[in-house]
Amino acid sequence: MKKAVEWVLNLVTTVIAQACSLDAKYVTIQGGGDWDKMTSIVKEIYNYLAIAGIAFTLVYFLMEMNEKLALEGRDLTMKSFFAPFLKLMVAIAVISQSGKIVSSIIMFNDTFITKISSLAKAGDTTQADLVEVMTKLMEMFGKLGFFILLVVLIILMLTAIIGLVLKLVWWYKGMMYKLELLFRLSVLPIAVADIYGGRHSNAIRYIKGFLALGLYGVALVALPRIALTLATAMTTEQLAALTGAGGDPDIVAGLSCLLMYLVAPFAAIAASNVAKQVSKEALGA
């Protein structure tokens, strides 16, 4: 029985460490064959909508020209008459180059996410701290009787299963991030069609939305590790309480340490949902 508990406890250690991490490769998409494969359909949609985007821009141009002729009439000057034409040229230029602009933003986001992920891994001792906690738990559980050990084994197996589910949630979030980014890219020509309206147009907010999405990607790779670090810090104070008075095992304290590590990925998932909204608010997207 003790061997089974030790094996499951090692499994729990690995699962919790994975449930509190999301590698940058699950979020970044720019560059390489993967980028070409993922954007093959996106490019077709983008090219199809590009014509519609320019058509919308021409409609905005005609509406402004009609408004100027209706309101200014005979007071219309050469400057005010040609201003819409200049704005039209700039708008068409932005629309035609919007794919390159956004691709540059995506490349910047990927670089930023990879950098943050590398910094989070550098000097990270949470894995070693987690192993230390699990070792102490194993020492404590080794003193338990058969039936109590059986209960602990069931709890550990449930913890491992929950940890695996949480890992799937992070993979789901990473894939959803990529799909959202690709879909936003595919409808880009329509979204930037009203760039004709200037800095207050929806197009500017839409382009800033790609930067906000990049910040959200940073949150996806950073928050799980931060949560694991917080869990380690909070359980450090409980390590001394893993044995009760007279050297008897303190099961409650031991399971509390274990469950604290299980709470960490739940908290990180909830915080990531908030991070997406915060990123949009920060950039006004």
Side-chain angles (χ1 to χ4, degrees), residues 41-107:
I41 299 178
V42 171
K43 289 177 182 178
E44 294 297 327
I45 300 175
Y46 179 92
N47 294 332
Y48 182 79
L49 294 178
I51 299 175
I54 294 176
F56 276 120
T57 302
L58 291 174
V59 171
Y60 294 137
F61 164 74
L62 293 174
M63 289 173 62
E64 182 173 359
M65 288 297 297
N66 181 66
E67 183 179 353
K68 282 185 174 296
L69 291 173
L71 297 179
E72 298 183 24
R74 296 178 180 179
D75 298 328
L76 191 65
T77 63
M78 292 291 292
K79 180 180 179 180
S80 60
F81 179 77
F82 283 104
F85 287 94
L86 180 60
K87 291 168 65 177
L88 177 64
M89 292 173 60
V90 172
I92 293 177
V94 171
I95 292 174
S96 62
Q97 298 299 315
S98 60
K100 293 182 179 179
I101 294 172
V102 171
S103 293
S104 298
I105 293 175
I106 295 174
M107 185 178 296

Side-chain angles (χ1 to χ4, degrees), residues 140-201:
M140 185 198 71
F141 292 152
K143 302 176 183 179
L144 300 177
F146 177 82
F147 291 105
I148 299 180
L149 205 58
L150 181 61
V151 174
V152 171
L153 179 61
I154 295 174
I155 294 175
L156 289 175
M157 292 179 66
L158 290 175
T159 303
I161 293 172
I162 295 173
L164 289 172
V165 172
L166 290 174
K167 184 60 179 179
L168 293 177
V169 172
W170 284 115
W171 285 345
Y172 162 77
K173 279 184 168 290
M175 182 174 291
M176 187 170 65
Y177 172 89
K178 291 183 179 182
L179 291 175
E180 179 181 352
L181 186 62
L182 291 171
F183 183 75
R184 288 178 66 92
L185 182 59
S186 66
V187 298
L188 181 64
I190 294 294
V192 300
D194 71 339
I195 190 68
Y196 186 85
R199 65 179 184 275
H200 299 298
S201 65

Side-chain angles (χ1 to χ4, degrees), residues 201-216:
S201 65
N202 179 68
I204 299 299
R205 291 195 299 272
Y206 193 82
I207 292 175
K208 288 197 294 186
F210 283 94
L211 287 172
L213 205 56
L215 291 179
Y216 174 58

Side-chain angles (χ1 to χ4, degrees), residues 262-273:
L262 195 58
V263 168
F266 277 107
I269 290 171
S272 67
N273 296 330

